[in-house]
Amino acid sequence: MTFVMNSNSPIRLLNTLQALPAIKNSPLQTAEEYGMGKVAKNAAKSFSLAIFAGAFIAIAFVFYITVTTGAAGAPWGVMRLIGGLAFSLGLILVVVCGGELFTSTVLTTVAWAQGLFSTAELLKCWLRVYLGNLVGAALMVLLIVTAKMHLLDGGSWGINALQIAQHKLHHGWLQAFALGILCNLLVCLGIWMTFTTKDILAKSMLLILPVAMFISSGFEHSIANMFMVPLGIAINAISEPEFFIAHGFIAADFADLTWANFINHNLIPVTLGNIVGGGVFVGLGYWLTEQGSMQEKKQNTQQAETSVLNPRSKSNQSHYLSANTQLTHSGEPNTMKNTLNNLTVNDIMNKNPLVLQQTDCIYQTLSLLVKHNIKGAPVVNHQQILIGFVSQQDILRLLWSEEYAIGLSVPVSTVMQTEILSVGNEQPIAVLLEFMVVDKEALFPVTNSGLLSSYNYQSYDQRLKGASAKRPSIYPVVNQGVVCGVITRSQIARLI
């Protein structure tokens, strides 16, 4: 069971139900929803979060400079590993605290490849995030220079920053491009791994090694460079000759720290490399890999549908022979369970459901619900993305509170529920039905560690009677973030 949250509505994100692992999205499906969320996000909010992300990555580079300053005598690989571990703070802050980072945003290519939005929308999203990251990095440069952090450790901190920044400008164009590919290959693989879990601590741990690896190996991250190289340029510009002389340098030693060198020899090739490494190699690479299995799954679904419609056909005889050999305790063929296990939500859902807009009047909405003889309907935005759900009960409750006043100009958005249970179209019917009708905690009162949570003895039949699940009887069906149908308990009952 998945929970849907739209960024433009006040929907509180709920925890995924741990009791239903079979309904959990695959990383590819999560990547599609991830991309849809980024492109559909309000532009001002997206830009603001991008500023935060740029600052987070800059903070991580400050950490890197600090832990590697004064370590000239330490083993080269060990110190780079320590610096890489410190730098992983940046991506952890982005994921945990919320941020729009360009190098992970390029994973929107997965949803784009599925045709969920246009190329223009994709590029517009990338541009606003990129510019937001630039603003965040620039603000951090201003703060670090104002704080005179380059004078730490007698100025060694500043010399270390200058050398790191200068080193980034000594790559050839193709070398910088390749280093950008390698960097974002690891960044996006780290993000992809976080798609497999909802646990914040687990996400953080999964990010550490990929980030430590790309930093310690000298791969190039465009957003990190937006902070590091301008910081080097700023330190070089504001420092007195005595600052350099005290450490055996002169200002001319860092003369190649210029904006032209930065943009032409680093920022452009590294940015392009980041796009290829994350958007093409990881995003489109996994998308292409999954196409074969998705086609196979689709064929299996079609075969299952055929077996239900024509269970005695020649092609399905062997399937039903094996099913008929599995007998229930009463000796009857157990074909119903096999049928339910083969069917998915897509096979029986209403594919042309009534959907509502948040601006619809509650009177018109109630009239439509009564006319179609349904208890409730999903509310969508102009992109058909689920943003709420409204029922007859929701509307009647409001009318009661207003003493059934006539002519209330109240939109659906006022009464709709925004904590929404939805289901994927490939979800097995058997698993969904179990979730709808059975409270397994009441039926099996045992903790995760195997201890009884209730010492009031009851037989299985007694517990079963009290294990009625208090859950909705109607669910929007969401595919790649878009409402594609509705399924109800009544539909499953009719099937049975």
Side-chain angles (χ1 to χ4, degrees):
M1 195 66 54
T2 57
F3 292 99
V4 175
M5 183 180 75
N6 181 269
S7 59
N8 295 322
S9 62
I11 298 176
R12 183 168 57 87
L13 182 62
L14 304 179
N15 293 326
T16 303
L17 296 174
Q18 299 301 318
L20 293 171
I23 312 180
K24 185 178 179 180
N25 282 350
S26 70
L28 186 71
Q29 290 172 317
T30 305
E32 290 171 0
E33 294 174 3
Y34 174 84
M36 277 293 297
K38 287 189 176 295
V39 171
K41 190 169 291 181
N42 176 273
K45 182 177 181 180
S46 177
F47 187 76
S48 299
L49 290 173
I51 293 175
F52 274 108
F56 293 157
I57 296 300
I59 288 170
F61 228 137
V62 172
F63 198 4
Y64 175 90
I65 298 168
T66 301
V67 301
T68 57
T69 295
W76 180 84
V78 172
M79 284 314 303
R80 292 180 74 87
L81 172 61
I82 294 173
L85 293 173
F87 188 86
S88 65
L89 171 68
L91 199 56
I92 291 172
L93 285 173
V94 170
V95 171
V96 175
C97 298
E100 296 286 321
L101 183 64
F102 174 75
T103 46
S104 56
T105 296
V106 297
L107 281 174
T108 50
T109 52
V110 176
W112 170 79
Q114 289 289 85
L116 299 180
F117 43 77
S118 67
T119 302
E121 290 174 305
L122 175 77
L123 296 177
K124 189 186 298 183
C125 173
W126 286 6
L127 180 61
R128 70 171 178 252
V129 172
Y130 192 80
L131 293 177
N133 291 167
L134 177 61
V135 172
L139 288 173
M140 284 301 299
V141 170
L142 179 62
L143 287 172
I144 297 301
V145 171
T146 303
K148 298 184 178 181
M149 288 194 66
H150 63 289
L151 300 178
L152 289 175
D153 192 23
S156 295
W157 196 97
I159 294 297
N160 188 20
L162 284 165
Q163 290 176 322
I164 293 170
Q166 186 178 54
H167 174 72
K168 291 180 175 297
L169 302 184
H170 289 174
H171 303 311
W173 203 95
L174 286 178
Q175 183 185 13
F177 177 72
L179 289 170
I181 293 175
L182 291 167
C183 167
N184 217 29
L185 190 68
L186 285 162
V187 171
C188 288
L189 284 174
I191 295 294
W192 196 273
M193 287 194 293
T194 67
F195 293 158
T196 64
T197 180
K198 297 291 184 181
D199 184 77
I200 295 299
L201 180 59
K203 286 177 182 283
S204 300
M205 296 300 293
L206 288 169
L207 292 170
I208 291 174
L209 287 182
V211 174
M213 194 274 181
F214 93 71
I215 286 293
S216 60
S217 300
F219 300 158
E220 294 288 335
H221 189 281
S222 57
I223 308 307
N225 292 352
M226 285 179 182
F227 167 76
M228 193 63 248
V229 180
L231 178 63
I233 294 173
I235 293 173
N236 191 39
I238 66 173
S239 296
E240 299 294 334
E242 294 78 12
F243 172 81
F244 298 100
I245 294 171
H247 295 87
F249 296 94
I250 59 173
D253 292 332
F254 302 101
D256 49 355
L257 280 172
T258 65
W259 291 108
N261 284 340
F262 169 48
I263 294 171
N264 296 325
H265 299 139
N266 183 274
L267 190 60
I268 291 175
V270 170
T271 299
L272 294 175
N274 288 167
I275 292 171
V276 172
V280 178
F281 283 9
V282 177
L284 295 183
Y286 271 113
W287 177 78
L288 289 170
T289 302
E290 290 291 330
Q291 291 310 296
S293 60
M294 290 172 69
Q295 288 295 327
E296 183 181 351
K297 191 173 184 180
K298 186 176 180 181
Q299 291 172 0
N300 291 339
T301 300
Q302 292 172 343
Q303 290 172 2
E305 186 175 356
T306 302
S307 69
V308 172
L309 296 174
N310 188 16
R312 300 302 178 189
S313 67
K314 195 170 187 179
S315 62
N316 290 310
Q317 273 186 338
S318 60
H319 167 77
Y320 272 85
L321 277 172
S322 62
N324 286 336
T325 61
Q326 301 175 17
L327 303 181
T328 62
H329 294 297
S330 61
E332 296 175 353
N334 189 20
T335 56
M336 183 182 294
K337 183 176 180 181
N338 288 279
T339 300
L340 290 177
N341 284 333
N342 285 328
L343 284 173
T344 65
V345 168
N346 190 65
D347 296 320
I348 68 167
M349 71 179 185
N350 177 7
K351 297 181 180 179
N352 295 297
L354 171 68
V355 293
L356 306 169
Q357 300 291 323
Q358 59 182 338
T359 55
D360 292 345
C361 174
I362 57 170
Y363 290 110
Q364 297 170 337
T365 299
L366 184 59
S367 177
L368 284 171
L369 294 176
V370 172
K371 177 182 178 181
H372 290 275
N373 193 29
I374 55 177
K375 296 179 180 179
V379 183
V380 299
N381 62 14
H382 65 282
Q383 295 174 318
Q384 298 300 301
I385 295 174
L386 182 65
I387 60 172
F389 190 89
V390 67
S391 66
Q392 292 184 19
Q393 185 183 38
D394 295 326
I395 297 173
L396 292 173
R397 184 169 56 248
L398 176 69
L399 292 177
W400 170 83
S401 71
E402 298 292 338
E403 298 187 359
Y404 311 104
I406 297 174
L408 284 176
S409 180
V410 178
V412 164
S413 59
T414 302
V415 298
M416 72 180 185
Q417 303 292 333
T418 53
E419 292 181 1
I420 313 160
L421 275 170
S422 68
V423 64
N425 63 329
E426 296 296 331
Q427 178 58 51
I429 288 296
V431 179
L432 175 60
L433 180 58
E434 177 186 290
F435 174 75
M436 282 184 175
V437 301
V438 180
D439 181 352
K440 296 187 76 173
E441 290 185 2
L443 183 59
F444 304 110
V446 180
T447 65
N448 291 334
S449 57
L451 299 175
L452 284 173
S453 59
S454 173
Y455 295 98
N456 182 21
Y457 174 76
Q458 288 182 314
S459 68
Y460 176 81
D461 289 338
Q462 289 173 320
R463 295 198 309 273
L464 184 62
K465 289 179 181 178
S468 176
K470 295 178 177 62
R471 294 179 183 129
S473 60
I474 178 170
Y475 296 84
V477 183
V478 177
N479 181 22
Q480 299 164 359
V482 177
V483 174
C484 61
V486 165
I487 188 166
T488 67
R489 190 168 56 206
S490 297
Q491 288 173 296
I492 302 177
R494 282 196 295 271
L495 171 71
I496 291 178

